[in-house]
Amino acid sequence: MVGYTHSAFRRLVAELGGCGAVWTEMLAARQILSENSRKSPWLRRRPEEGFMVYQLMLGPGDPLERIVDRLGEAGAEALDLNLACGSRAARACSAGSALFEDLDALRTVFRRVRRLWPHVLTAKIRLGRERPEWRLRFAERLRVLEEAGADAVVLHPRFFEERFKRRARHELFPWAASLTRLPLIANGDLSGPDTAQAQTEHFASVSAVMLGRMALVRPWIFAHWDKAGSVDLAAIWSRMCHYLTEDFEPALALRRLQMFTRYFAANFKFGHQFNGDLARATSLEDIQRRAASFFSRGPTTVPQPTLAGL
Ligand SMILES: Cc1cc2nc3c(=O)[nH]c(=O)nc-3n(C[C@H](O)[C@H](O)[C@H](O)COP(=O)(O)O)c2cc1C
């Protein structure tokens, strides 16, 4: 997730018990080719991080050979092509949702990456644009990904134009799975194991689940999937602060910590006040002072944070 699943956050997740696989932020060619892969918070990978998927924002004009070579040198084991993002930056280079829409370009780019990359290669998709024939177009694109040699598909079942409005349509997972031999990874509005367990008929056909925003709220959620446990929220926040200061220069570390806090605050009953206060911090010292003051008051937590508004 852009701005969030950087090296510091991945380190935190690993320390809290890890998860099956973690996706990097969506990476543009520029980030991959000009960054030092041993230091960059986008590219670096610590041994404890486990299985990591480098997510790419690629368009037909990008130097695919150089990008894939570079990631291979950096020790990547898995790549994912983002075909879901509708941001201006992605669309400007005909990547993300624009690539999903353009069937010929999609086929060409995916085949080229597949030829260059012998390891795990996945794609992240949405339902497409909402129009009368969207189901046909969706099925066609799944077929292209399958024929081009994808290993799995991550589906966030919303339309591009919805962004995060309405709800993820979990009831479409069985239909999507029936269209392809590819393993389907279900994503969107999952709060934890309960979401899937409450709708077994929708999730029976999927091979795995991917959590986005709730993983930012509860970075320990994967480790506690089968058995609940207690966590020390103040210690987790401090650890995040510490890891960010190690991997980012101070101004960026502060900004990333404020962004993380916006999600983490959903664990608390008065989290909006915590978030609002920390958003006003002007330095790393200041934000730590404000956080220490909040935690010293023994803030009330909520049993199940919600994704509403996040
Ligand atoms: C701030 C933010 C940044 C995101 N960045 C990415 C990204 O870089 N790549 C990607 O595939 N999805 C990205 N997403 C979408 C999430 O991966 C996920 O598909 C979406 O949030 C729905 O899942 P969730 O309900 O579990 O959060 C982002 C979402 C948010 C809120």
Side-chain angles (χ1 to χ4, degrees), residues 126-179:
R126 282 191 177 217
L127 298 172
R129 276 190 27 225
E130 189 166 19
R131 51 177 123 186
E133 71 284 14
W134 73 266
R135 281 179 185 263
L136 262 176
R137 292 173 59 89
F138 179 83
E140 206 170 26
R141 279 149 184 77
L142 264 190
R143 207 158 41 244
V144 163
L145 292 172
E146 187 176 315
E147 284 167 9
D151 293 308
V153 168
V154 185
L155 173 60
H156 176 195
R158 281 188 169 93
F159 293 104
F160 292 137
E161 57 273 33
E162 288 176 327
R163 294 170 184 270
F164 286 87
K165 290 198 202 93
R166 291 158 76 182
R167 59 176 183 84
R169 296 168 182 78
H170 298 155
E171 67 279 13
L172 293 178
F173 288 133
W175 167 73
S178 76
L179 298 173

Side-chain angles (χ1 to χ4, degrees), residues 81-101:
L81 201 54
N82 185 310
L83 303 172
C85 178
S87 71
R88 201 174 305 160
R91 296 190 71 85
C93 54
S94 306
S97 62
L99 189 59
F100 186 84
E101 288 287 301

